[in-house]
Amino acid sequence: MWVTGLALLLILISECAGAQQIKLSNIRDNTTVSYPVVLIKGTLDVTDPDLPPSVSWVEQNRRNHTHSIEAINLTSPSPRQIYKAAMYQHNFKVLVELVPGKNQIQLDSSKVRKTLVLNYKPMQAKFRVRFIYMTDKSGATQYPTQEPNDPQDYKNKIDVLAKLMQCFVAEEMNEGGFGRKTFHFDVEANGKARVITTKLPYSREMLSGKGIFDIWRIVHHDISEHMRDEHMIDLVITSFATYDPKRKKAFGYTAAGAPGTAAVTNLGMFSWPSTVTQVPIAFSDTEWIDENLIFNQSGYRDTHWALASTTMGAAFHELGHALFFVHDSDDLCIMSTGYSLFHRQFMVEDSPSKISIFPEFYAHKQEALISPLMLHQMNQHAWIK
């Protein structure tokens, strides 16, 4: 009897030695949020006594990418989406989209499962961010693309941009000690961000001759004349810029923001994710940019993932100006050059690029951020609740 008990104890100890455990670092069970896409961060604690020590860098790099984790919102209607985590060296980040009310989130790795409850209570905010897609007088909404059979789903891409920016602000505010405050925007019945498509009374040819700030003034004037709403801050994405591959130059291009209105072009939009589940795919896509087709705004990294990060981050940067924020001295701040690292808030490594042929793991202090001064200002901001 005593021997049997000892044997059972040894078995339990052995099993524990090779066990996995999912540990969360940024969010607790039964947290209530006012925005639909949450970021879950943590570690997959792995101990495997049977694994021999690494004998080469290649083998170690392979092991760093071996483990994986997925999330499923068991409360969302079928078909349920599987959210793949960005994971490296046992650190993971995973985005999950919520439905109003109580959400049961299931995290799965190969050997362990963890569940948590997140409550989504949509806020009915008086002051909101409005998303506008603005064309020339032709009404053409197409964005330049490298992708064959591109669905040209600009509304879906703007929806994901809106939710990622909203989540980014909430994470930074929470880490700064202010709670999960963020900006809000109108949504359609299907839960997607409302995108207003409108057109200017000018031709593409006329607009292509205008400079960055001229385009902003034209956009701002049109909104003031036809869509003015004192409760709205506007992020406008224009669809009329053109690109000359011989001169590697864009015309009718803008990336500008001032109180009330921000404007950027759609020249890198093809690289943006169209769903929340596509975010880790888009931010790790190492396909090269074809400069015969696409204006290269990748921050000298020349890959699709870098183009997505830089252009989505630029939209966030200009929205910051529309929300009355100025440039910041911290290079990692979104209101400085940190906008080109927008992806790092949601990923755990930089994928290979022209700068590095190997994936690069980075520490938390190397991620894009909102500076402490800006967080204090946001805490008093009418649009951040």
Side-chain angles (χ1 to χ4, degrees):
M1 186 72 175
W2 181 84
V3 175
T4 303
L6 178 60
L8 180 59
L9 178 61
L10 291 173
I11 291 172
L12 289 173
I13 292 173
S14 175
E15 289 179 349
C16 289
Q20 293 184 6
Q21 184 179 4
I22 298 173
K23 297 179 180 179
L24 305 183
S25 61
N26 73 320
I27 201 162
R28 296 179 179 178
D29 189 40
N30 212 33
T31 294
T32 297
V33 300
S34 62
Y35 52 97
V37 173
V38 296
L39 178 66
I40 301 172
K41 298 192 289 187
T43 57
L44 181 60
D45 189 16
V46 181
T47 52
D48 191 345
D50 297 324
L51 191 65
S54 176
V55 293
S56 69
W57 183 92
V58 172
E59 172 62 17
Q60 184 59 51
N61 189 61
R62 185 193 69 79
R63 291 180 185 177
N64 285 338
H65 292 83
T66 295
H67 300 283
S68 63
I69 196 167
E70 298 175 346
I72 301 174
N73 186 349
L74 300 177
T75 310
S76 62
S78 297
R80 290 177 178 149
Q81 300 295 317
I82 297 176
Y83 301 90
K84 302 280 188 178
M87 191 163 182
Y88 185 65
Q89 293 183 341
H90 313 316
N91 299 284
F92 71 85
K93 295 180 182 179
V94 61
L95 290 160
V96 180
E97 192 154 14
L98 308 179
V99 296
K102 182 178 179 179
N103 293 256
Q104 186 178 4
I105 310 302
Q106 179 177 289
L107 298 170
D108 272 312
S109 77
S110 59
K111 297 181 180 179
V112 70
R113 175 175 294 173
K114 184 181 184 68
T115 59
L116 73 154
V117 171
L118 297 176
N119 305 297
Y120 172 34
K121 186 178 180 181
M123 181 183 291
Q124 300 301 316
K126 179 180 180 181
F127 298 100
R128 304 180 301 282
V129 171
R130 180 168 58 182
F131 296 94
I132 299 171
Y133 196 70
M134 190 171 284
T135 74
D136 62 58
K137 69 178 184 180
S138 73
T141 62
Q142 290 81 7
Y143 50 79
T145 182
Q146 277 185 231
E147 303 298 334
N149 304 313
D150 194 305
Q152 292 288 329
D153 54 345
Y154 68 91
K155 288 187 177 181
N156 288 336
K157 293 179 182 295
I158 295 173
D159 170 68
V160 177
L161 170 67
K163 290 170 178 173
L164 291 186
M165 294 190 301
Q166 189 183 54
C167 178
F168 192 118
V169 171
E171 281 297 312
E172 289 293 292
M173 288 293 287
N174 186 61
E175 186 166 323
F178 301 105
R180 294 181 177 276
K181 295 182 178 181
T182 190
F183 66 86
H184 294 273
F185 51 82
D186 290 333
V187 298
E188 305 285 1
N190 60 5
K192 292 184 178 294
R194 180 169 295 148
V195 179
I196 299 171
T197 304
T198 186
K199 58 184 178 181
L200 292 168
Y202 309 112
S203 68
R204 185 183 297 260
E205 289 72 25
M206 189 281 280
L207 293 167
S208 67
K210 301 296 181 180
I212 290 175
F213 297 106
D214 291 329
I215 295 292
W216 181 90
R217 282 189 283 269
I218 290 169
V219 166
H220 179 69
H221 179 265
D222 189 80
I223 292 173
S224 299
E225 286 287 307
H226 303 107
M227 302 172 63
R228 182 173 175 80
D229 188 331
E230 62 183 8
H231 300 126
M232 296 292 184
I233 295 282
D234 295 311
L235 174 58
V236 180
I237 298 174
T238 66
S239 73
F240 47 76
T242 57
Y243 170 60
D244 182 348
K246 291 183 178 180
R247 288 190 281 176
K248 302 291 188 292
K249 185 176 180 180
F251 296 90
Y253 173 90
T254 188
T261 306
V264 294
T265 65
N266 68 351
L267 292 182
M269 182 177 276
F270 85 94
S271 64
W272 299 6
S274 296
T275 65
V276 176
T277 57
Q278 290 178 7
V279 171
I281 300 172
F283 285 155
S284 59
D285 185 351
T286 56
E287 184 174 348
W288 296 109
I289 294 170
D290 184 350
E291 293 191 52
N292 292 316
L293 299 172
I294 299 297
F295 185 42
N296 190 348
Q297 306 168 79
S298 66
Y300 306 103
R301 294 166 292 187
D302 293 1
T303 54
H304 286 193
W305 71 259
L307 180 64
S309 181
T310 302
T311 51
M312 296 176 83
F316 194 12
H317 177 103
E318 301 308 339
L319 177 60
H321 287 312
L323 288 164
F324 306 91
F325 297 111
V326 298
H327 287 143
D328 197 273
S329 60
D330 189 334
D331 290 346
L332 289 173
C333 182
I334 283 294
M335 295 311 295
S336 181
T337 54
Y339 70 85
S340 66
L341 303 176
F342 179 70
H343 69 287
R344 288 189 175 183
Q345 183 74 211
F346 313 103
M347 302 293 285
V348 293
E349 65 174 343
D350 287 349
S351 290
S353 70
K354 185 178 181 180
I355 293 175
S356 174
I357 62 172
F358 301 114
E360 291 192 39
F361 176 76
Y362 41 80
H364 179 57
K365 292 183 178 180
Q366 295 171 300
E367 295 175 359
L369 52 79
I370 297 174
S371 70
L373 175 60
M374 278 188 63
L375 292 177
H376 281 277
Q377 293 171 335
M378 282 185 168
N379 192 45
Q380 305 298 323
H381 203 292
W383 267 262
I384 309 295
K385 298 294 182 183

